[in-house]
Amino acid sequence: MLLVIIFTIFAAITIISAGMVAFSQNIVYSAFSLLFTFFGIAGLYVLLAADFLAATQLLIYVGGILVLLLFGVMLTHKIQEVNLSNESMRLAPAAIVVLAFLGLLSIAIYRTQWPTVPVPELTPTTARIGTLFMTDYLLPFEIASLVLLTALVGAVFIARGRVKK
Amino acid sequence: MNLNWTAILPEIFITLTALGVLGIDLFYTRYQKDKTLNAIVTLSGMGIAFLLLPFLSAKTQIFTSLFVLDPLAIFFKMVFLISGSMTALISINYLKMEGFDLGEYYGVLLFSILGMMVMASANDFILIYLGLELMTVSFYVLSGFFKTDLRSNEAALKYLILGGFASALFLYGISLLYGVTGSTEISYIAGYLTEQTRTGADSVAGVTSAVLSHPLLSLSLIMLLAGLCFKVAAVPFHMWTPDVYEGAPTSVTAFMSVGPKAAGFVVMLRVLLVALGALEKQWMVILAVISILTMTLGNIVAIAQQNVKRMLAYSSIAHAGYILLGIVASARVLTAGSASVVFYILSYAFMNLGAFTVLLALRKEDKQTGLMVPAMDLEDFSGLSKRDPLTAFLMLIFMFSLTGIPPTAGFVGKFYLFMSAVDANLVWLAVIGVINSAISAYYYLRILVYIYMKEPKVVQSVDNSSSLWVALYVMALATLLIGILPNLLFNVARASVVSLF
């Protein structure tokens, strides 16, 4: 019962702050709301006994990416006065599609007999994750590193000034 | 842990080549005038990987069956390496002319091919997703490669935002499938679902089991399909295609219309025919509708285009529709259907790359500046046969093949596709396909009318660099040879899919 209450709190934090990220008119508010989204998700990971994942979520997303994002927002000149050239928002069709999809998902989730496991005990998972990354999941691990390398090369290429001829 | 490392030797080789190409820029750049060396290293790397492939033992599984090397994977890796090396060949002079002769191009190109190769071999949704991301991230960069060109920027941004959305849908589909089956491994999911079908049939005749009628399973199927249909540019997930294809550098567009499409289809074959084979009744209906919409919309909108690059973009949407038709057929006739899909993808790779290469080679004089700029409009093709009969004739071959006129690869490919639909008792689908081919003849042959029957309106020139012409001859010859001797290749295609089941 306690778990359900804690879960509801974390889920509510995540969803409400995610809504604020999407709907806030001020981009600084959006960026700060994102902090709570990441925090709520980290809490959900803890509930699932995924301690390593929760720690990396906090370290990388909150500590790294979000701080970078805030710097980007703060340092960009006049970021709050961006003129959108395309003003067609199409709120009504978007709302219909989103609500229909939400309804569909909720029905499907409630009707499904989920294969469940008992609540796992809180044992450290880091060592097991590390072993798996170096054995069974070595290939996905390496491919993920190449994805990051490609993104890095591409980002440097695009951000770099015009090449002298 | 005992590993059979040889199975991923081609991938390792491509990775090392990509790092080497980036390394050349880092250490050697002051000694070289242009980036020909990068291109040569890229081509030889791909060549060696290609030559390695036939010697590897097929039906190897490594990393606890995360990664499989079966004949299907080998066949598709060859398609990727061929189309990738053609792209590298046609890019060399094009990049110089456009003023973007940079080494990163080849490095990122190699990474995108690596992503596709991983997708072809992946037997696990995690690996499929990572391969997909590696490929897509590379194409975000490549489509925005002409970074001072506003339309190239627009292409990259559009592809990035919509591609991210599609990847998210695909991931959501994977997570739901994992929730239902408890695994991300394709062969495990296949076994689990088949077993559920069997136990369901045992208990009450004619009633499928609880798991198979899960609404969640259908939902995850739809999401996986949405993600893949985005990559192969099928309606209704085609919105990005014309703009991205038009804005991206022509060499990138050429590769984009072949490589990611083929990679998307090989994943589709594995996911639909193997992992979700038990759900074939569901996905058959969905794919049949998507296939008809894709063919019809692609062909009808292509008629209205005056810009040849945009027209070829819509034509590539239509061709995705034909291939989907083959996948629908393979729900009923497994081998014949999927073999025709595999065969058509290779034929399509040659003819479509060829058509884009002619477009890339043709340049016209800009009336205001007097500079030679890329020719894009239908008008720019007028009278090409008088100025350059050889290029005109090659374009004729590619256009005939895209339409499906014998003796070209396109004709045989379409023949096998429609035949498999007939075999699968889907005559109406084949009829719709044939009607669509007839519609497509209008806009393909219209280019030939401009080339052969009109007077030149602008000053044209054709890129005469030897690398581009080597690629052009290879593609034209392959298009003709496949059309004349289809049996040889069809047997290879058939052998490659038999291993799937």
Side-chain angles (χ1 to χ4, degrees):
Chain A
M1 193 59 209
L2 185 66
L3 273 178
V4 175
I5 295 169
I6 299 174
F7 171 81
T8 318
I9 292 172
F10 277 126
I13 291 175
T14 313
I15 290 173
I16 293 170
S17 58
M20 280 172 68
V21 174
F23 292 115
S24 170
Q25 293 293 321
N26 188 327
I27 197 159
V28 182
Y29 290 175
S30 284
F32 274 108
S33 307
L34 200 57
L35 175 79
F36 293 98
T37 316
F38 288 149
F39 173 75
I41 290 172
L44 293 179
Y45 283 145
V46 173
L47 277 183
L48 292 170
D51 58 340
F52 178 73
L53 212 52
T56 34
Q57 168 85 9
L58 283 180
L59 264 176
I60 294 174
Y61 280 93
V62 180
I65 291 176
L66 195 70
V67 171
L68 209 63
L69 200 81
L70 280 173
F71 266 111
V73 169
M74 301 287 194
L75 294 178
T76 308
H77 187 55
K78 283 186 179 170
I79 198 168
Q80 289 171 29
E81 299 162 27
V82 181
N83 288 317
L84 297 176
S85 59
N86 186 356
E87 285 183 345
S88 92
M89 298 288 279
R90 292 178 197 271
L91 269 181
I96 292 170
V97 170
V98 167
L99 287 178
F101 190 65
L102 185 70
L104 200 68
L105 263 182
S106 328
I107 293 170
I109 287 172
Y110 272 104
R111 284 202 181 163
T112 302
Q113 296 262 314
W114 294 92
T116 48
V117 287
V119 181
E121 280 184 37
L122 272 172
T123 48
T125 53
T126 317
R128 267 171 58 212
I129 291 177
T131 318
L132 279 176
F133 268 151
M134 285 297 130
T135 53
D136 288 356
Y137 287 90
L138 180 61
L139 189 64
F141 185 62
E142 294 295 333
I143 301 287
S145 74
L146 288 175
V147 174
L148 293 179
L149 177 69
T150 314
L152 208 63
V153 170
V156 169
F157 166 74
I158 287 172
R160 182 175 67 182
R162 184 127 171 81
V163 192
K164 281 177 250 110
K165 292 239 198 91
Chain B
M1 192 174 53
N2 198 6
L3 265 185
N4 185 1
W5 284 103
T6 50
I8 53 165
L9 216 51
E11 278 81 0
I12 294 176
F13 218 88
I14 293 290
T15 314
L16 291 180
T17 318
L19 296 177
V21 169
L22 294 175
I24 292 174
D25 267 5
L26 192 58
F27 298 113
Y28 192 68
T29 193
R30 68 181 66 168
Y31 307 107
Q32 59 182 116
K33 289 195 303 292
D34 54 21
K35 301 293 178 190
T36 317
L37 180 66
N38 300 48
I40 292 171
V41 172
T42 305
L43 282 167
S44 40
M46 284 196 265
I48 295 172
F50 183 83
L51 292 178
L52 275 174
L53 278 171
F55 295 104
L56 303 174
S57 67
K59 209 66 202 170
T60 326
Q61 295 199 338
I62 56 168
F63 294 110
T64 51
S65 78
L66 277 180
F67 185 96
V68 292
L69 192 76
D70 50 9
L72 184 75
I74 294 181
F75 188 94
F76 268 90
K77 283 177 193 183
M78 286 182 162
V79 174
F80 301 144
L81 287 171
I82 292 171
S83 45
S85 45
M86 293 294 140
T87 310
L89 277 175
I90 62 176
S91 304
I92 299 174
N93 204 34
Y94 177 67
L95 292 181
K96 276 181 207 158
M97 284 193 295
E98 297 289 322
F100 280 95
D101 190 18
L102 299 166
E104 286 93 344
Y105 180 87
Y106 299 102
V108 178
L109 184 73
L110 282 165
F111 278 127
S112 78
I113 293 169
L114 180 71
M116 295 172 202
M117 289 168 76
V118 169
M119 282 166 84
S121 268
N123 189 33
D124 191 293
F125 277 107
I126 294 175
L127 205 54
I128 290 180
Y129 175 72
L130 283 169
L132 192 84
E133 277 304 279
L134 184 53
M135 175 184 89
T136 323
V137 166
S138 311
F139 274 105
Y140 298 152
V141 180
L142 287 177
S143 55
F145 203 78
F146 291 174
K147 56 181 176 179
T148 48
D149 179 2
L150 272 181
R151 278 193 308 184
S152 183
N153 295 352
E154 187 202 340
L157 203 60
K158 213 163 220 172
Y159 196 43
L160 173 75
I161 292 171
L162 292 174
F165 188 65
S167 295
L169 271 182
F170 189 72
L171 263 185
Y172 203 170
I174 296 174
S175 73
L176 289 182
L177 196 60
Y178 176 76
V180 178
T181 60
S183 173
T184 55
E185 195 192 314
I186 284 183
S187 23
Y188 179 86
I189 294 173
Y192 179 81
L193 290 181
T194 329
E195 197 181 324
Q196 293 294 329
T197 324
R198 206 176 298 127
T199 50
D202 282 347
S203 55
V204 191
V207 179
T208 44
S209 75
V211 170
L212 278 184
S213 54
H214 265 351
L216 215 57
L217 209 53
S218 322
L219 213 57
S220 77
L221 169 73
I222 291 169
M223 286 185 190
L224 290 175
L225 275 182
L228 290 173
C229 282
F230 176 87
K231 293 291 172 245
V232 302
V235 178
F237 308 100
H238 66 287
M239 260 69 134
W240 57 280
T241 319
D243 293 335
V244 175
Y245 280 22
E246 192 190 347
T250 310
S251 57
V252 174
T253 310
F255 191 41
M256 221 177 187
S257 67
V258 171
K261 219 167 253 218
F265 279 118
V266 68
V267 170
M268 227 183 241
L269 284 177
R270 255 187 231 284
V271 169
L272 293 181
L273 295 180
V274 183
L276 302 176
L279 294 177
E280 65 179 27
K281 285 204 184 65
Q282 290 184 27
W283 57 254
M284 218 181 118
V285 180
I286 302 173
L287 273 192
V289 174
I290 293 180
S291 159
I292 294 169
L293 285 177
T294 309
M295 284 190 278
T296 317
L297 186 131
N299 281 322
I300 288 177
V301 183
I303 289 177
Q305 304 303 320
Q306 285 299 313
N307 180 313
V308 177
K309 206 171 169 185
R310 228 176 147 79
M311 190 204 87
L312 284 175
Y314 279 107
S315 118
S316 85
I317 295 177
H319 281 273
Y322 300 136
I323 300 174
L324 284 173
L325 187 153
I327 296 185
V328 174
S330 52
R332 292 209 183 136
V333 282
L334 269 180
T335 335
S338 42
S340 68
V341 168
V342 172
F343 182 89
Y344 196 79
I345 287 171
L346 182 63
S347 322
Y348 168 77
F350 283 119
M351 60 198 187
N352 210 47
L353 269 177
F356 271 111
T357 307
V358 173
L359 177 68
L360 175 146
L362 186 67
R363 299 177 87 79
K364 64 167 178 189
E365 187 180 47
D366 188 1
K367 289 213 174 73
Q368 277 149 11
T369 56
L371 295 169
M372 296 310 272
V373 294
M376 288 293 164
D377 294 329
L378 214 46
E379 291 284 324
D380 304 338
F381 278 81
S382 49
L384 182 66
S385 68
K386 299 198 176 61
R387 198 177 302 270
D388 197 329
L390 184 59
T391 316
F393 179 68
L394 291 180
M395 193 61 169
L396 177 111
I397 294 177
F398 297 131
M399 285 301 127
F400 271 18
S401 186
L402 283 169
T403 322
I405 298 173
T408 52
F411 167 72
V412 197
K414 271 187 188 156
F415 176 77
Y416 282 133
L417 274 181
F418 297 156
M419 270 313 285
S420 70
V422 172
D423 286 345
N425 242 338
L426 296 164
V427 181
W428 56 279
L429 204 56
V431 169
I432 294 177
V434 172
I435 293 174
N436 264 293
S437 302
I439 299 175
S440 74
Y442 175 75
Y443 61 87
Y444 289 131
L445 300 184
R446 187 172 54 181
I447 293 190
L448 298 179
V449 169
Y450 273 86
I451 290 178
Y452 279 94
M453 297 175 189
K454 298 217 171 183
E455 290 303 313
K457 290 224 173 66
V458 285
V459 180
Q460 298 156 327
S461 77
V462 173
D463 184 351
N464 57 0
S465 65
S466 52
S467 54
L468 181 130
W469 276 90
V470 168
L472 209 48
Y473 279 130
V474 169
M475 289 181 281
L477 261 179
T479 308
L480 283 178
L481 270 181
I482 297 174
I484 296 166
L485 302 165
N487 276 339
L488 207 68
L489 190 70
F490 193 72
N491 288 337
V492 178
R494 183 185 285 273
S496 77
V497 292
V498 167
S499 66
L500 258 184
F501 321 114

